[in-house]
């Protein structure tokens, strides 16, 4: 009997010691995104991404050329826009390119306007007084009913899907899905519903709304880089170089806006020089320049796309 009690106490003591040792053992840090994709921890992964595909023919010509030539690695589509059919046709003829959905509840140009694909009568809270999406995100945050916003955004996704587009990710037009906590919640809901990676950075213009924080694992991108108003044309490439050079190891997305500075684009953006025709020509010239591509090689950036990045989170993408 005494031996039995002795051995029971000894076993209990060993169990406690084992548990304490396990608790005090150094924890293995989680693998970084680049390590989970098979790259060394020192790697700097870069997505060069073009917004607004489908907006008009000028945007489409420049963006699709950049995709075909490998100057950019990804683009996202404005499904409600008039030149969406051209993108859908191109995607069928050129499979394998990285195309996401640029979830849109705004229409920012004075004369080139668009509205919901689900029909104005179905989502009245998303419309301005002219029957289009609002010019800016403020009215959306103030007036949009979340059930109507969800209905419309699902309609955009399903329209792209029905057109045969292999959707690789979701992102947001004018950062419109992070301008309120309600819209951000909808953004995350769509992410889960479609098992789809979303563009989300830990902080910054594409981060969560004020008052909310996210786990490191929720953001596949460490930082989004996008040129802002105030940079002179002669300094365009220098601005990008200055932003990219000091970046530490991690995953980054550089957002560009591509088009030709032609009559069509000048007409669409006549009173909106920021992100307008000349601006988009500057971005197009930069990504296509041999000097910029050489800079990226010298800096040892690894160019990736969302098709690759989503492997860090899911093994397959399902559509409800």
């Amino acid at each position: 009997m005494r031996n039995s009690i002795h051995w029971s106490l000894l076993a209990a003591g060993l169990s406690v010691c084992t548990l304490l040792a396990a608790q005090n053992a150094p924890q293995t840090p989680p693998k970084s995104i680049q390590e989970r994709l098979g790259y060394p921890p020192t790697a700097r992964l870069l997505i060069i991404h073009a917004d607004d595909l489908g907006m008009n023919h000028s945007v489409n010509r420049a963006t699709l050329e950049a995709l075909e030539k490998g100057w950019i690695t990804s683009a996202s589509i404005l499904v409600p826009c008039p030149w969406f059919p051209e993108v859908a046709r191109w995607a069928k003829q050129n499979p394998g390119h990285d195309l996401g959905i640029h979830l849109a509840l705004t229409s920012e140009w004075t004369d080139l306007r668009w509205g919901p694909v689900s029909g104005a009568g179905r989502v009245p809270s998303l419309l301005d007084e002219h029957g289009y999406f609002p010019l800016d995100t403020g009215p959306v945050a103030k007036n949009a009913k979340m059930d109507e916003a969800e209905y419309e955004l699902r309609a955009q996704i399903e329209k792209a899907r029905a057109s045969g587009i292999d959707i690789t990710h979701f992102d947001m037009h004018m950062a419109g899905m992070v301008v309120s906590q309600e819209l951000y919640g909808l953004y995350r809901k769509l992410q889960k519903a479609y098992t789809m990676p979303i563009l989300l950075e830990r902080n910054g213009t594409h981060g969560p709304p004020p008052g909310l924080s996210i786990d490191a694992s929720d953001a596949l991108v460490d930082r989004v880089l996008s040129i802002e108003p105030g940079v002179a044309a002669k300094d365009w490439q220098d601005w990008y170089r200055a932003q990219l050079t000091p970046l530490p190891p991690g995953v980054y997305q550089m957002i560009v806006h591509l088009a030709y500075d032609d009559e069509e684009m000048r007409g669409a953006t006549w009173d909106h020089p920021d992100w307008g025709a000349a601006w988009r020509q500057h971005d197009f010239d930069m990504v296509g320049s041999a000097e910029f591509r050489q800079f990226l090689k010298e800096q040892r950036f690894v160019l990736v796309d969302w098709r690759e990045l989503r492997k860090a989170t899911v093994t397959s993408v399902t559509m409800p």
Side-chain angles (χ1 to χ4, degrees), residues 240-262:
Y240 281 101
R241 289 171 180 256
Q243 298 298 311
L244 290 166
T245 298
L247 292 176
V251 182
Y252 304 96
Q253 174 154 307
M254 187 179 90
I255 296 179
V256 293
H257 297 82
L258 308 183
Y260 289 97
D261 186 4
D262 57 15

Side-chain angles (χ1 to χ4, degrees), residues 41 67 74 103 154 179 288:
L67 280 169
S74 178
L103 298 170
R154 284 182 178 270
V179 296

